[in-house]
Short mmCIF file of all heavy atoms in Angstrom, two decimals:
data_model
loop_
_atom_site.label_atom_id
_atom_site.label_comp_id
_atom_site.label_asym_id
_atom_site.label_seq_id
_atom_site.Cartn_x
_atom_site.Cartn_y
_atom_site.Cartn_z
N ARG A 24 -4.53 9.67 7.18
CA ARG A 24 -5.04 8.72 6.25
C ARG A 24 -4.15 8.69 5.01
O ARG A 24 -3.83 9.72 4.43
CB ARG A 24 -6.46 9.06 5.83
CG ARG A 24 -7.04 8.06 4.93
CD ARG A 24 -8.48 8.40 4.65
NE ARG A 24 -8.97 7.42 3.71
CZ ARG A 24 -10.20 7.39 3.26
NH1 ARG A 24 -11.03 8.25 3.68
NH2 ARG A 24 -10.59 6.47 2.39
N THR A 25 -3.76 7.46 4.59
CA THR A 25 -2.98 7.32 3.39
C THR A 25 -3.77 6.40 2.45
O THR A 25 -4.13 5.33 2.81
CB THR A 25 -1.60 6.71 3.66
OG1 THR A 25 -1.78 5.47 4.35
CG2 THR A 25 -0.74 7.63 4.45
N ASP A 26 -4.04 6.89 1.26
CA ASP A 26 -4.78 6.11 0.25
C ASP A 26 -3.78 5.44 -0.65
O ASP A 26 -3.54 5.85 -1.79
CB ASP A 26 -5.68 7.04 -0.53
CG ASP A 26 -6.81 7.62 0.35
OD1 ASP A 26 -7.24 6.94 1.28
OD2 ASP A 26 -7.22 8.75 0.08
N LEU A 27 -3.21 4.34 -0.18
CA LEU A 27 -2.27 3.55 -0.91
C LEU A 27 -2.79 2.15 -1.18
O LEU A 27 -3.37 1.56 -0.25
CB LEU A 27 -0.91 3.50 -0.22
CG LEU A 27 -0.25 4.79 0.12
CD1 LEU A 27 1.06 4.53 0.91
CD2 LEU A 27 0.11 5.59 -1.13
N GLY A 28 -2.55 1.66 -2.33
CA GLY A 28 -2.97 0.26 -2.61
C GLY A 28 -1.91 -0.72 -2.14
O GLY A 28 -0.86 -0.34 -1.60
N CYS A 29 -2.15 -1.95 -2.42
CA CYS A 29 -1.23 -3.05 -2.00
C CYS A 29 0.13 -2.90 -2.70
O CYS A 29 1.16 -3.06 -2.03
CB CYS A 29 -1.86 -4.36 -2.30
SG CYS A 29 -0.94 -5.78 -1.75
N LEU A 30 0.15 -2.65 -3.98
CA LEU A 30 1.42 -2.56 -4.71
C LEU A 30 2.20 -1.31 -4.26
O LEU A 30 3.42 -1.38 -4.13
CB LEU A 30 1.18 -2.50 -6.18
CG LEU A 30 0.65 -3.78 -6.81
CD1 LEU A 30 0.39 -3.62 -8.31
CD2 LEU A 30 1.64 -4.93 -6.62
N THR A 31 1.50 -0.21 -4.04
CA THR A 31 2.19 1.00 -3.59
C THR A 31 2.73 0.82 -2.20
O THR A 31 3.83 1.27 -1.86
CB THR A 31 1.23 2.21 -3.65
OG1 THR A 31 0.65 2.29 -4.98
CG2 THR A 31 1.96 3.51 -3.38
N THR A 32 1.98 0.19 -1.32
CA THR A 32 2.46 -0.09 0.01
C THR A 32 3.70 -0.96 -0.01
O THR A 32 4.67 -0.75 0.72
CB THR A 32 1.34 -0.78 0.84
OG1 THR A 32 0.23 0.07 0.93
CG2 THR A 32 1.81 -1.12 2.24
N THR A 33 3.70 -1.96 -0.87
CA THR A 33 4.89 -2.83 -1.02
C THR A 33 6.06 -2.03 -1.55
O THR A 33 7.17 -2.19 -1.04
CB THR A 33 4.55 -4.01 -1.98
OG1 THR A 33 3.43 -4.71 -1.46
CG2 THR A 33 5.75 -4.94 -2.09
N ALA A 34 5.84 -1.17 -2.49
CA ALA A 34 6.91 -0.35 -3.06
C ALA A 34 7.47 0.61 -1.99
O ALA A 34 8.70 0.78 -1.88
CB ALA A 34 6.43 0.49 -4.25
N VAL A 35 6.59 1.17 -1.16
CA VAL A 35 7.04 2.04 -0.06
C VAL A 35 7.88 1.22 0.92
O VAL A 35 8.91 1.68 1.39
CB VAL A 35 5.84 2.70 0.65
CG1 VAL A 35 6.23 3.29 1.97
CG2 VAL A 35 5.22 3.75 -0.24
N GLY A 36 7.48 0.01 1.22
CA GLY A 36 8.22 -0.85 2.15
C GLY A 36 9.60 -1.21 1.57
O GLY A 36 10.60 -1.19 2.29
N ILE A 37 9.66 -1.58 0.31
CA ILE A 37 10.93 -1.95 -0.30
C ILE A 37 11.86 -0.74 -0.38
O ILE A 37 13.04 -0.83 -0.01
CB ILE A 37 10.75 -2.57 -1.70
CG1 ILE A 37 10.02 -3.92 -1.59
CG2 ILE A 37 12.05 -2.73 -2.45
CD1 ILE A 37 9.55 -4.49 -2.87
N LEU A 38 11.35 0.38 -0.83
CA LEU A 38 12.17 1.60 -0.91
C LEU A 38 12.56 2.07 0.49
O LEU A 38 13.69 2.51 0.74
CB LEU A 38 11.42 2.70 -1.65
CG LEU A 38 11.24 2.52 -3.12
CD1 LEU A 38 10.36 3.62 -3.68
CD2 LEU A 38 12.61 2.54 -3.82
N GLY A 39 11.65 1.91 1.45
CA GLY A 39 11.95 2.23 2.85
C GLY A 39 13.08 1.38 3.41
O GLY A 39 13.94 1.84 4.15
N ALA A 40 13.08 0.09 3.06
CA ALA A 40 14.15 -0.78 3.52
C ALA A 40 15.48 -0.33 2.92
O ALA A 40 16.50 -0.35 3.62
CB ALA A 40 13.86 -2.25 3.09
N LEU A 41 15.49 0.04 1.65
CA LEU A 41 16.73 0.49 1.06
C LEU A 41 17.16 1.82 1.67
O LEU A 41 18.36 2.04 1.92
CB LEU A 41 16.54 0.67 -0.49
CG LEU A 41 16.29 -0.63 -1.24
CD1 LEU A 41 15.95 -0.37 -2.68
CD2 LEU A 41 17.49 -1.54 -1.11
N ILE A 42 16.22 2.71 1.92
CA ILE A 42 16.56 4.01 2.56
C ILE A 42 17.07 3.80 3.96
O ILE A 42 18.12 4.35 4.36
CB ILE A 42 15.33 4.92 2.56
CG1 ILE A 42 15.01 5.40 1.14
CG2 ILE A 42 15.56 6.16 3.48
CD1 ILE A 42 13.66 6.05 1.01
N GLY A 43 16.43 2.94 4.72
CA GLY A 43 16.85 2.64 6.11
C GLY A 43 18.23 2.01 6.12
O GLY A 43 19.11 2.35 6.94
N GLY A 44 18.48 1.09 5.20
CA GLY A 44 19.79 0.45 5.09
C GLY A 44 20.89 1.44 4.71
O GLY A 44 22.00 1.40 5.24
N ALA A 45 20.56 2.35 3.80
CA ALA A 45 21.54 3.36 3.35
C ALA A 45 21.87 4.32 4.47
O ALA A 45 23.06 4.68 4.68
CB ALA A 45 21.01 4.12 2.14
N ILE A 46 20.84 4.75 5.18
CA ILE A 46 21.09 5.70 6.33
C ILE A 46 21.92 4.98 7.40
O ILE A 46 22.86 5.58 7.94
CB ILE A 46 19.79 6.22 6.89
CG1 ILE A 46 19.10 7.15 5.89
CG2 ILE A 46 19.95 6.94 8.23
CD1 ILE A 46 17.68 7.54 6.25
N ALA A 47 21.58 3.73 7.73
CA ALA A 47 22.31 3.03 8.77
C ALA A 47 23.76 2.75 8.33
O ALA A 47 24.68 2.86 9.15
CB ALA A 47 21.62 1.70 9.08
N SER A 48 23.96 2.45 7.08
CA SER A 48 25.34 2.24 6.59
C SER A 48 26.14 3.50 6.60
O SER A 48 27.32 3.50 6.96
CB SER A 48 25.31 1.64 5.17
OG SER A 48 24.74 0.32 5.18
N ALA A 49 25.50 4.62 6.19
CA ALA A 49 26.22 5.91 6.21
C ALA A 49 26.57 6.34 7.60
O ALA A 49 27.61 6.90 7.82
CB ALA A 49 25.40 6.97 5.53
N ALA A 50 25.69 6.06 8.58
CA ALA A 50 25.93 6.42 9.97
C ALA A 50 26.78 5.35 10.67
O ALA A 50 27.13 5.53 11.84
CB ALA A 50 24.63 6.64 10.69
N ASP A 51 27.08 4.28 9.99
CA ASP A 51 27.86 3.16 10.52
C ASP A 51 27.25 2.56 11.80
O ASP A 51 27.94 2.26 12.75
CB ASP A 51 29.33 3.61 10.78
CG ASP A 51 30.24 2.42 10.83
OD1 ASP A 51 29.93 1.38 10.21
OD2 ASP A 51 31.31 2.55 11.49
N VAL A 52 25.92 2.41 11.75
CA VAL A 52 25.25 1.81 12.90
C VAL A 52 24.58 0.47 12.58
O VAL A 52 24.03 -0.18 13.44
CB VAL A 52 24.16 2.77 13.49
CG1 VAL A 52 24.78 4.01 14.12
CG2 VAL A 52 23.15 3.15 12.44
N GLY A 53 24.61 0.06 11.34
CA GLY A 53 24.02 -1.21 10.98
C GLY A 53 23.91 -1.34 9.48
O GLY A 53 24.29 -0.46 8.72
N GLU A 54 23.36 -2.47 9.04
CA GLU A 54 23.13 -2.71 7.63
C GLU A 54 22.05 -3.76 7.49
O GLU A 54 21.70 -4.44 8.43
CB GLU A 54 24.41 -3.19 6.97
CG GLU A 54 24.98 -4.43 7.52
CD GLU A 54 26.27 -4.82 6.91
OE1 GLU A 54 27.01 -3.94 6.47
OE2 GLU A 54 26.59 -6.00 6.88
N LEU A 55 21.51 -3.85 6.29
CA LEU A 55 20.49 -4.90 6.02
C LEU A 55 21.15 -6.24 6.04
O LEU A 55 22.20 -6.41 5.45
CB LEU A 55 19.79 -4.64 4.69
CG LEU A 55 18.91 -3.39 4.59
CD1 LEU A 55 18.38 -3.26 3.18
CD2 LEU A 55 17.78 -3.45 5.59
N GLY A 56 20.54 -7.16 6.77
CA GLY A 56 21.09 -8.47 6.90
C GLY A 56 20.17 -9.53 6.27
O GLY A 56 19.63 -9.27 5.18
N THR A 57 19.98 -10.59 6.96
CA THR A 57 19.08 -11.63 6.50
C THR A 57 17.64 -11.30 6.74
O THR A 57 17.33 -10.39 7.48
CB THR A 57 19.46 -12.97 7.14
OG1 THR A 57 19.17 -12.84 8.55
CG2 THR A 57 20.91 -13.34 6.93
N PHE A 58 16.79 -12.07 6.14
CA PHE A 58 15.32 -11.85 6.25
C PHE A 58 14.85 -11.98 7.71
O PHE A 58 13.95 -11.26 8.13
CB PHE A 58 14.60 -12.87 5.38
CG PHE A 58 13.11 -12.72 5.39
CD1 PHE A 58 12.51 -11.70 4.67
CD2 PHE A 58 12.31 -13.57 6.13
CE1 PHE A 58 11.14 -11.57 4.63
CE2 PHE A 58 10.93 -13.46 6.09
CZ PHE A 58 10.33 -12.44 5.36
N TYR A 59 15.45 -12.84 8.46
CA TYR A 59 15.01 -13.11 9.86
C TYR A 59 15.71 -12.24 10.89
O TYR A 59 15.49 -12.43 12.09
CB TYR A 59 15.24 -14.57 10.21
CG TYR A 59 14.41 -15.49 9.32
CD1 TYR A 59 15.04 -16.23 8.29
CD2 TYR A 59 13.04 -15.62 9.46
CE1 TYR A 59 14.30 -17.06 7.48
CE2 TYR A 59 12.31 -16.43 8.66
CZ TYR A 59 12.91 -17.18 7.66
OH TYR A 59 12.18 -17.95 6.86
N ASP A 60 16.52 -11.32 10.46
CA ASP A 60 17.24 -10.42 11.36
C ASP A 60 16.34 -9.28 11.84
O ASP A 60 15.75 -8.58 11.03
CB ASP A 60 18.48 -9.88 10.68
CG ASP A 60 19.38 -9.05 11.59
OD1 ASP A 60 19.32 -9.25 12.78
OD2 ASP A 60 20.11 -8.23 11.02
N ALA A 61 16.23 -9.10 13.17
CA ALA A 61 15.39 -8.04 13.70
C ALA A 61 15.89 -6.63 13.26
O ALA A 61 15.06 -5.72 13.06
CB ALA A 61 15.37 -8.11 15.23
N GLY A 62 17.18 -6.48 13.10
CA GLY A 62 17.71 -5.19 12.63
C GLY A 62 17.28 -4.85 11.24
O GLY A 62 16.99 -3.68 10.92
N THR A 63 17.14 -5.86 10.39
CA THR A 63 16.68 -5.66 9.03
C THR A 63 15.26 -5.17 9.06
O THR A 63 14.88 -4.19 8.35
CB THR A 63 16.75 -6.98 8.24
OG1 THR A 63 18.11 -7.37 8.12
CG2 THR A 63 16.16 -6.82 6.82
N TRP A 64 14.45 -5.76 9.86
CA TRP A 64 13.01 -5.36 9.95
C TRP A 64 12.90 -3.95 10.55
O TRP A 64 12.09 -3.13 10.08
CB TRP A 64 12.23 -6.35 10.81
CG TRP A 64 11.98 -7.61 10.01
CD1 TRP A 64 12.74 -8.73 9.95
CD2 TRP A 64 10.88 -7.84 9.13
NE1 TRP A 64 12.19 -9.63 9.09
CE2 TRP A 64 11.02 -9.11 8.60
CE3 TRP A 64 9.79 -7.06 8.76
CZ2 TRP A 64 10.14 -9.66 7.66
CZ3 TRP A 64 8.85 -7.58 7.84
CH2 TRP A 64 9.04 -8.87 7.32
N GLY A 65 13.69 -3.68 11.56
CA GLY A 65 13.66 -2.32 12.17
C GLY A 65 14.09 -1.24 11.18
O GLY A 65 13.42 -0.21 11.10
N LEU A 66 15.15 -1.51 10.43
CA LEU A 66 15.59 -0.51 9.44
C LEU A 66 14.52 -0.36 8.32
O LEU A 66 14.30 0.75 7.89
CB LEU A 66 16.90 -0.93 8.82
CG LEU A 66 18.12 -0.89 9.70
CD1 LEU A 66 19.36 -1.51 9.04
CD2 LEU A 66 18.41 0.57 10.05
N ALA A 67 13.93 -1.45 7.91
CA ALA A 67 12.89 -1.38 6.85
C ALA A 67 11.72 -0.56 7.34
O ALA A 67 11.19 0.25 6.59
CB ALA A 67 12.47 -2.82 6.45
N ILE A 68 11.29 -0.80 8.56
CA ILE A 68 10.08 -0.06 9.05
C ILE A 68 10.44 1.38 9.29
O ILE A 68 9.67 2.29 8.90
CB ILE A 68 9.60 -0.73 10.36
CG1 ILE A 68 9.05 -2.15 10.04
CG2 ILE A 68 8.55 0.10 11.04
CD1 ILE A 68 8.80 -2.98 11.26
N LEU A 69 11.63 1.66 9.84
CA LEU A 69 12.04 3.05 10.03
C LEU A 69 12.14 3.80 8.72
O LEU A 69 11.67 4.93 8.58
CB LEU A 69 13.39 3.09 10.79
CG LEU A 69 13.98 4.49 11.00
CD1 LEU A 69 13.11 5.29 11.99
CD2 LEU A 69 15.39 4.40 11.52
N GLY A 70 12.78 3.20 7.73
CA GLY A 70 12.89 3.81 6.42
C GLY A 70 11.53 4.01 5.76
O GLY A 70 11.31 5.05 5.13
N SER A 71 10.63 3.08 5.93
CA SER A 71 9.29 3.23 5.37
C SER A 71 8.50 4.36 6.05
O SER A 71 7.78 5.11 5.39
CB SER A 71 8.49 1.90 5.55
OG SER A 71 9.16 0.87 4.82
N VAL A 72 8.63 4.49 7.34
CA VAL A 72 8.00 5.60 8.08
C VAL A 72 8.52 6.90 7.60
O VAL A 72 7.76 7.86 7.33
CB VAL A 72 8.18 5.45 9.60
CG1 VAL A 72 7.80 6.71 10.32
CG2 VAL A 72 7.36 4.28 10.13
N LEU A 73 9.85 7.04 7.46
CA LEU A 73 10.46 8.25 6.93
C LEU A 73 9.94 8.58 5.53
O LEU A 73 9.62 9.73 5.21
CB LEU A 73 11.98 8.14 6.97
CG LEU A 73 12.66 8.15 8.31
CD1 LEU A 73 14.16 7.85 8.16
CD2 LEU A 73 12.44 9.46 9.04
N LEU A 74 9.90 7.57 4.69
CA LEU A 74 9.45 7.77 3.32
C LEU A 74 7.96 8.23 3.30
O LEU A 74 7.63 9.12 2.54
CB LEU A 74 9.62 6.48 2.50
CG LEU A 74 9.19 6.56 1.03
CD1 LEU A 74 9.94 7.64 0.27
CD2 LEU A 74 9.41 5.22 0.35
N LEU A 75 7.12 7.60 4.08
CA LEU A 75 5.71 8.06 4.16
C LEU A 75 5.57 9.46 4.63
O LEU A 75 4.78 10.24 4.14
CB LEU A 75 4.93 7.10 5.04
CG LEU A 75 4.46 5.81 4.42
CD1 LEU A 75 3.68 4.97 5.46
CD2 LEU A 75 3.55 6.07 3.25
N LEU A 76 6.38 9.85 5.65
CA LEU A 76 6.35 11.21 6.14
C LEU A 76 6.75 12.23 5.04
O LEU A 76 6.14 13.28 4.90
CB LEU A 76 7.22 11.41 7.39
CG LEU A 76 6.67 10.71 8.65
CD1 LEU A 76 7.73 10.75 9.74
CD2 LEU A 76 5.37 11.30 9.07
N VAL A 77 7.79 11.89 4.29
CA VAL A 77 8.24 12.74 3.19
C VAL A 77 7.13 12.79 2.13
O VAL A 77 6.85 13.90 1.61
CB VAL A 77 9.54 12.23 2.60
CG1 VAL A 77 9.87 12.92 1.29
CG2 VAL A 77 10.69 12.43 3.58
#
Side-chain angles (χ1 to χ4, degrees):
R24 183 176 177 178
T25 54
D26 295 327
L27 302 176
C29 184
L30 292 177
T31 308
T32 300
T33 303
V35 165
I37 292 170
L38 290 173
L41 294 173
I42 291 168
I46 291 171
S48 293
D51 201 25
V52 293
E54 59 185 28
L55 291 176
T57 64
F58 182 77
Y59 298 105
D60 185 24
T63 298
W64 285 91
L66 290 173
I68 294 168
L69 177 67
S71 298
V72 167
L73 291 173
L74 181 58
L75 278 178
L76 290 172
V77 168

